[in-house]
Amino acid sequence: MFDIKKIREDFPILKRKVHGKTLVYFDSGATSQKPEVVIEAMNKYYRETNANIHRGVYEMSVESTRLVDEARAEVADLIGARNEEVIFTRNTSESINLVAYSWGEDNISTGDAVVITKLEHHSNMIPWQELCRKKGAELRVVDVNEKGELENNKEALILEENGLKVVVGGWNNLLDSRVKMVAFTGQSNVMGTEPPVKDIVEMVKRLSPEALILVDGAQMVPHMSVSVAKLGIDFLAFSGHKMLGPTGVGVLWGKKEVLNKMKPFLMGGDMIGEVKLTGATWAELPNKFEAGTPDITGIVGMGAAVKYLKAIGMENIHEYEKEILKYALEKMKGLEKEGLINLYGPEAENRGGAIPFNVVGVHAHDTAQILDNYGIAVRSGHHCAAPLVASFNVPAMVRATFYLYNTREEIDYFIEKIREVPKVFA
Ligand SMILES: Cc1ncc(COP(=O)(O)O)c(C=O)c1O
């Protein structure tokens, strides 16, 4: 059962005051808060175990290695993967860069095409822009409609600048046999849009049979049940800090056959098999992609976070978030009807818990600052998706994002305080 009262008790920060008001944290899309079990797992590790992994035969080092292995197994189980396919990185950005460099350098050449979407966070846009520019490949971008949903059929528009050709259009105009990589988000961090991943995968396999598929799961894995095998994708990238874990740890999941063919991304300790002065061989997965001492404490924390999420159940979390999203969206629509705000993004059925909006006539940063005075933390700006926000003809948006610890009461308070914003400027 989803016991929201008990869940909130698990997050000590939710008791803190901001400007004398109880915190209402609506910025989990940027980073989530951490439950006591995660904080405690990391403290305990430093107090009782701290030792480098893989390198020692002494008890603490062996214990440390075991804790990292256990965390990897938790993550693998969460996404239905094999342990050795889970690579610990620093964050989603590093995971995507790993693929763009290690796979991209050897597999993309002049005449090839990479497909992304306009919904992408800069993390899943710029690595591909730079790869395509360097290789003389074409970057193809699936456009969005006025609701922030991906277009299937839209006439292609060609942009050419600084040695990069970009084709913007609908899925049907962009997928063909020249496409070698399709990289798209599982949930937009701005609009909340949840693209139909399975349908897209099926379409890519039909129209671009040579293409590999990468899903940016930064906003997907924390909020719903994900099985990489069922999705039929090749790579999944996500960050621990957006799913109750600490900052500093991310994951790249890749299909074993694909990862085995890729060269390492970073070189150094722990990723080698045999080393001579004239060269080296590479370690087996996952070590091949984990050069140097990882964020061991962070990995332990992430393992604890995954355990916590699994105990509540990803399905339950998803269902609860959908409920509060629907509740918030209805109320926000009311404000829109009154002419108080402009609301962006799809209907509740096609989106997760992110709501972007602007108070009419008020800059997003001003709105966010006024709400902060009431203890409400929301983000404002381009949300690291500048081309997407620009296509709605606004310089910035305010964004409220929800997670398992948010409540209807917080939403009521938020709505009440949005009403105060225009009054400040009256
Ligand atoms: C959809 C999406 N992709 C990628 C990222 C980048 O994540 P990180 O900063 O942890 O690398 C974010 C962060 O907000 C995101 O929302």
Side-chain angles (χ1 to χ4, degrees):
M1 186 189 133
F2 196 91
D3 185 347
I4 182 67
K5 246 180 136 179
K6 187 175 168 306
I7 287 171
R8 285 182 67 82
E9 285 294 315
D10 293 337
F11 291 80
I13 207 166
L14 297 180
K15 294 194 178 75
R16 82 158 270 180
K17 302 277 179 198
V18 174
H19 303 299
K21 315 282 190 314
T22 301
L23 168 69
V24 171
Y25 188 73
F26 282 175
D27 197 21
S28 297
T31 196
S32 69
Q33 296 303 342
K34 325 299 174 199
E36 191 66 52
V37 282
V38 169
I39 300 166
E40 192 40 41
M42 294 167 74
N43 280 343
K44 185 171 153 61
Y45 174 77
Y46 271 136
R47 286 209 189 93
E48 296 177 12
T49 313
N50 184 46
N52 212 332
I53 57 168
H54 296 157
R55 304 206 181 130
V57 292
Y58 57 93
E59 183 166 299
M60 286 184 349
S61 176
V62 172
E63 224 172 279
S64 219
T65 306
R66 177 177 55 75
L67 289 174
V68 168
D69 290 345
E70 283 173 8
R72 196 187 306 277
E74 287 290 352
V75 173
D77 181 57
L78 180 77
I79 58 169
R82 291 182 273 197
N83 292 1
E84 64 274 25
E85 295 175 325
V86 171
I87 293 156
F88 285 120
T89 60
R90 281 186 306 145
N91 46 40
T92 304
S93 306
E94 186 177 301
S95 300
I96 297 171
N97 273 274
L98 191 163
V99 179
Y101 279 87
S102 286
W103 178 87
E105 289 285 335
D106 287 343
N107 291 283
I108 294 291
S109 41
T110 311
D112 289 341
V114 170
V115 174
I116 61 169
T117 82
K118 211 191 248 180
L119 287 176
E120 301 317 309
H121 187 282
H122 297 158
S123 294
N124 196 29
M125 179 174 287
I126 297 162
W128 304 114
Q129 270 176 354
E130 291 312 302
L131 176 71
C132 289
R133 195 191 315 282
K134 193 166 153 191
K135 296 286 187 171
E138 204 169 273
L139 184 67
R140 300 180 180 176
V141 183
V142 181
D143 211 342
V144 293
N145 63 17
E146 69 291 344
K147 289 246 171 224
E149 292 157 331
L150 296 174
E151 293 273 19
N152 282 322
N153 299 301
K154 185 161 186 196
E155 208 180 315
L157 168 79
I158 297 175
L159 310 167
E160 224 157 350
E161 223 174 281
N162 301 327
L164 178 66
K165 182 176 171 195
V166 179
V167 186
V168 187
W171 281 113
N172 289 327
N173 317 42
L174 302 183
L175 292 175
D176 62 27
S177 59
R178 283 172 60 196
V179 177
K180 298 289 160 14
M181 168 61 75
V182 177
F184 67 99
T185 188
Q187 183 179 310
S188 161
N189 62 306
V190 184
M191 300 279 148
T193 317
E194 290 177 344
V197 178
K198 276 186 105 168
D199 295 348
I200 294 171
V201 170
E202 189 274 319
M203 181 166 56
V204 171
K205 295 202 159 154
R206 192 161 35 83
L207 300 173
S208 302
E210 282 183 41
L212 295 192
I213 301 172
L214 178 147
V215 169
D216 173 352
Q219 302 290 346
M220 181 193 195
V221 177
H223 303 285
M224 64 182 82
S225 170
V226 172
S227 156
V228 287
K230 281 190 194 149
L231 289 178
I233 59 178
D234 300 283
F235 297 107
L236 178 70
F238 52 102
S239 297
H241 70 95
K242 293 183 196 290
M243 48 192 290
L244 312 184
T247 50
V249 185
V251 170
L252 173 69
W253 167 82
K255 248 189 202 161
K256 193 171 177 175
E257 313 81 271
V258 180
L259 291 173
N260 271 334
K261 284 193 205 136
M262 284 161 53
K263 64 184 180 209
F265 175 43
L266 300 171
M267 314 278 169
D270 261 7
M271 49 71 68
I272 42 83
E274 195 188 336
V275 182
K276 295 189 288 187
L277 283 178
T278 50
T281 59
W282 314 135
E284 296 293 312
L285 293 174
N287 301 35
K288 180 168 101 173
F289 292 106
E290 292 182 354
T293 302
D295 182 351
I296 303 168
T297 324
I299 292 171
V300 169
M302 181 165 184
V306 170
K307 242 183 175 163
Y308 179 88
L309 287 169
K310 284 196 320 205
I312 296 172
M314 294 312 296
E315 307 277 357
N316 296 333
I317 292 170
H318 191 236
E319 195 181 319
Y320 178 74
E321 283 183 26
K322 278 273 185 194
E323 272 172 34
I324 57 167
L325 166 77
K326 272 189 200 152
Y327 184 77
L329 213 48
E330 277 312 303
K331 301 236 160 189
M332 303 276 290
K333 278 183 179 172
L335 295 182
E336 192 179 40
K337 271 199 193 123
E338 289 177 39
L340 260 169
I341 65 167
N342 291 319
L343 204 50
Y344 312 98
E347 293 305 318
E349 304 75 59
N350 299 328
R351 76 195 285 172
I355 305 185
F357 69 98
N358 272 315
V359 175
V360 174
V362 182
H363 193 282
H365 290 326
D366 289 329
T367 301
Q369 200 150 26
I370 294 165
L371 292 174
D372 177 57
N373 287 333
Y374 294 110
I376 302 167
V378 287
R379 185 146 288 234
S380 54
H382 56 49
H383 311 287
C384 298
L388 175 67
V389 171
S391 70
F392 287 84
N393 297 317
V394 288
M397 291 176 183
V398 188
R399 180 193 70 176
T401 45
F402 310 124
Y403 209 0
L404 74 168
Y405 37 67
N406 292 124
T407 64
R408 286 180 178 77
E409 290 74 24
E410 287 181 320
I411 290 164
D412 291 342
Y413 177 71
F414 171 60
I415 298 291
E416 183 190 311
K417 295 310 171 197
I418 291 176
R419 289 184 180 284
E420 298 297 316
V421 174
K423 293 183 192 162
V424 176
F425 295 92

